[in-house]
Amino acid sequence: MININENLCDFCGTCVSVCPVDCIELFEAKLKINNEKCIACNLCVDICPLGVLEVEDEE
Ligand code: SF4
Ligand code: SF4
């Protein structure tokens, strides 16, 4: 799953537009990832200019 460090996020929306399965939702000051839909492609992690998103390994 993807972890969100919301303290760093400036809610620019870049990650939302890059997600191929549209599982990132951006609200006014809140970012939400639907981890059930996420295919762990890591595109959002790579594109975030602030390093907000990181992959969390599932055991
Ligand atoms: S790209 Fe990064 S800073 Fe921009 S909304 Fe997504 S997580 Fe936040
Ligand atoms: S890892 Fe891929 S599928 Fe998952 S939220 Fe990020 S861009 Fe979307």
Side-chain angles (χ1 to χ4, degrees), residues 1-6 15 19-21 23-24 31-46 48 51-58:
M1 64 180 277
I2 305 293
N3 259 337
I4 306 170
N5 187 344
E6 284 190 3
C15 56
C19 179
V21 294
C23 66
I24 309 178
L31 197 66
K32 210 174 147 197
I33 295 184
N34 182 339
N35 277 299
E36 284 179 13
K37 262 170 93 182
C38 174
I39 56 170
C41 66
N42 293 349
L43 285 177
C44 59
V45 176
D46 290 341
C48 176
V52 172
L53 305 168
E54 47 181 43
V55 184
E56 184 180 290
D57 290 333
E58 283 178 82

Side-chain angles (χ1 to χ4, degrees), residues 8-16 26 31 47-50 52-53:
L8 294 178
C9 182
D10 68 359
F11 309 104
C12 66
T14 307
C15 56
V16 177
L26 182 64
L31 197 66
I47 207 147
C48 176
L50 301 174
V52 172
L53 305 168

